[in-house]
Amino acid sequence: MSTSFNPGKGEGQPVGVAVLGMGTVGTDVIRLMQENADAFEARIGGPLALKGVAVSDLDKPRPGVDPALLTDDAHALVERDDVDIVVEVIGGIDYPRELVLKALKAGKSVVTANKALVAAHADELAAAADEQNVDLYFEAAVAAAIPVVGMLRRSLAGDQINRIFGIVNGTTNFILDAMATTGASYEDALAEATRLGYAEADPTADVEGHDAASKAAILASLGFHSRVKFNDVHCEGITQISADDITAAAKAGYTIKLLAICERLTNEDGSEQVSARVHPTLIPSSHPLASVSKSFNAIYVDAEAAGSLMFYGNGAGGAPTASAVLGDLVGAARNKVHGGRAPGENTYANLPVADFGDVPTRYHIDMQVKDRVGVLADLATRFADAGISLRTVRQEEVERHEHARLILVTHQAPESALAGMVERLSELDDVQQVTSVIRLDG
Ligand code: HSE
């Protein structure tokens, strides 16, 4: 780390800002920065001066922005002498990585909303920021307006975090909620989420769980002071969830949510590991997360001394994301004016990431079996032989009695034991179909 102290530009000095990208978020960042210029100046101790906006298409109309500020040369903009802080709201990984690294190496503080970039390259970016003694802020990368990054970095820095879990993707929550409450089709709900500006440029990142996995990696890294990268996160999206799954879950008193679950795990020998996963999850409909509707996000944090905390709010969309970006911008600008820098990430604990197969999970298994005497006892024995304890077993009447519907809920067991059990079940003569397998939490 650089030992040079940033003395600050001094009270009243302008802070030069470059914005990279003018999509949904960038447009709101610039609008709010201009609308609140006086308040921001008072909070910072000097005015924010917009020095340039990098866009890919110079011909596109950009109402509210002085055309002289627009440039398609982002590389030159991030190194300009009159720029103190670079705001990156482009998205993607490789191109913004080049620009952010260039900006940090040129001594600019960086504010980014880019979860994919941070989840993949946090080490490299943090090292570049440390080297130059500048700030690297990314509050908007997780759950937009909910200040969960700052809460983990600062407010809970004196506690031990054991578990972070919740809904961190607005688009998929919007889709699952619409399918459950209005009976909307998956396609219509996704189109509406895209129209409302919640979805990523390529909504595959949302529906396949990649966006949530990036956020889980960031939360786990901050919460457990260990590096967890995107590729360390087990990730399943919502594309396999059908309207029937949602209806069956509701009938049984459950709601399906795409959850990110980050845990500190203690091994038998007392050593610790961490895990981060994203997958559709059944939660009891009475659980507070079940009532998180539309594009809202909600995150639970279980901490040793603080106990259980819940954070809820707007997790997607232009203005909520811009709110988080601007909070970071004010913080970075204060440091440019008054000197110093915010505390960076600290991965001192360096806990290893557990193999997903070893992570304890619970399964809800819905299957169709032959309606013969003894089938239930036989299946229960197989679970017992595999060391998996069943919490509930329910048999439902089906028309014409040609088969029986069995719904099994397990207690916690290692993921690999549960997955292996399901594989063996589907090969049995008595099991006509394993209709759905969804993990359960809460
Ligand atoms: N596409 C993201 C979501 C935007 O739906 O949550 C916020 O990261």
Side-chain angles (χ1 to χ4, degrees):
M1 193 190 292
S2 162
T3 49
S4 66
F5 175 73
N6 155 32
K9 302 176 74 158
E11 186 81 19
Q13 292 300 309
V15 179
V17 179
V19 176
L20 311 181
M22 225 190 140
T24 311
V25 178
T27 302
D28 274 324
V29 166
I30 292 168
R31 175 179 64 79
L32 291 167
M33 201 175 133
Q34 291 171 342
E35 283 175 14
N36 299 308
D38 291 346
F40 288 166
E41 178 174 353
R43 292 173 202 174
I44 291 163
L48 289 176
L50 185 61
K51 296 295 181 183
V53 182
V55 294
S56 53
D57 180 0
L58 281 174
D59 296 328
K60 196 170 162 184
R62 313 274 177 184
V65 179
D66 177 354
L69 293 176
L70 298 174
T71 173
D72 57 5
D73 190 351
H75 279 278
L77 178 61
V78 300
E79 288 190 315
R80 261 172 48 182
D81 287 343
D82 57 350
V83 169
D84 299 297
I85 301 174
V86 171
V87 175
E88 187 274 305
V89 281
I90 308 175
I93 297 186
D94 294 338
Y95 179 53
R97 171 176 165 264
E98 280 171 26
L99 294 171
V100 167
L101 281 174
K102 188 175 253 192
L104 292 169
K105 284 175 183 165
K108 321 296 182 191
S109 289
V110 168
V111 173
T112 176
N114 192 329
K115 53 256 169 186
L117 174 65
V118 177
H121 296 292
D123 280 331
E124 185 184 26
L125 302 181
D130 285 348
E131 188 60 37
Q132 291 298 323
N133 222 345
V134 291
D135 285 323
L136 171 64
Y137 279 99
F138 46 87
E139 182 62 67
V142 184
I146 307 175
V148 67
V149 169
M151 177 270 297
L152 289 172
R153 261 183 162 180
R154 289 186 293 276
S155 316
L156 287 172
D159 210 331
Q160 170 173 298
I161 312 289
N162 294 321
R163 198 167 198 252
I164 305 169
F165 70 108
I167 297 162
V168 295
N169 182 267
T171 302
T172 47
N173 201 57
F174 185 90
I175 295 171
L176 292 172
D177 182 49
M179 287 171 77
T181 55
T182 67
S185 72
Y186 173 90
E187 290 75 17
D188 286 352
L190 173 56
E192 181 65 358
T194 305
R195 190 186 69 76
L196 291 168
Y198 305 145
E200 297 299 298
D202 176 2
T204 313
D206 295 295
V207 297
E208 295 291 359
H210 303 159
D211 175 85
S214 292
K215 294 166 179 168
I218 295 170
L219 292 174
S221 297
L222 291 170
F224 306 134
H225 303 284
S226 300
R227 178 60 64 216
V228 179
K229 294 186 173 178
F230 172 79
N231 287 334
D232 295 321
V233 182
H234 174 84
C235 176
E236 296 170 33
I238 63 162
T239 52
Q240 302 303 315
I241 298 296
S242 66
D244 284 349
D245 290 330
I246 291 173
T247 311
K251 264 172 114 183
Y254 291 107
T255 303
I256 302 179
K257 295 290 187 188
L258 185 74
L259 292 195
I261 302 173
C262 310
E263 295 166 304
R264 176 192 297 273
L265 304 170
T266 306
N267 302 318
E268 278 174 10
D269 64 2
S271 62
E272 292 186 318
Q273 291 182 292
V274 295
S275 118
R277 53 193 161 108
V278 168
H279 50 67
T281 311
L282 285 168
I283 48 173
S285 296
S286 55
H287 192 284
L289 285 179
S291 56
V292 175
S293 62
K294 301 202 166 79
S295 65
F296 284 95
N297 286 190
I299 298 159
Y300 270 87
V301 178
D302 289 338
E304 199 71 23
S308 199
L309 308 165
M310 182 179 174
F311 301 84
Y312 168 86
N314 274 314
T321 311
S323 164
V325 169
L326 289 163
D328 281 352
L329 180 57
V330 168
R334 277 188 191 135
N335 292 339
K336 286 287 178 191
V337 170
H338 302 287
R341 65 185 289 239
E345 266 185 272
N346 191 329
T347 54
Y348 75 93
N350 202 18
L351 297 176
V353 178
D355 188 293
F356 182 55
D358 297 336
V359 173
T361 59
R362 291 173 62 196
Y363 273 21
H364 180 283
I365 307 167
D366 191 341
M367 59 190 181
Q368 197 171 293
V369 298
K370 281 187 187 159
D371 195 8
R372 71 159 183 83
V373 175
V375 67
L376 195 56
D378 180 36
L379 291 177
T381 306
R382 288 173 189 274
F383 274 85
D385 289 348
I388 300 169
S389 164
L390 289 174
R391 183 165 187 268
T392 58
V393 178
R394 204 172 78 242
Q395 181 171 344
E396 285 201 353
E397 296 265 334
V398 287
E399 279 175 34
R400 298 198 303 278
H401 299 283
E402 284 159 3
H403 59 259
R405 180 176 175 201
L406 271 189
I407 298 161
L408 310 177
V409 176
T410 73
H411 278 294
Q412 269 197 347
E415 167 66 29
S416 58
L418 290 165
M421 188 69 215
V422 168
E423 209 175 307
R424 290 196 296 284
L425 285 178
S426 40
E427 286 161 4
L428 297 176
D429 275 353
D430 277 342
V431 176
Q432 295 172 320
Q433 190 186 10
V434 177
T435 319
S436 84
V437 178
I438 305 181
R439 294 183 194 88
L440 200 130
D441 209 292

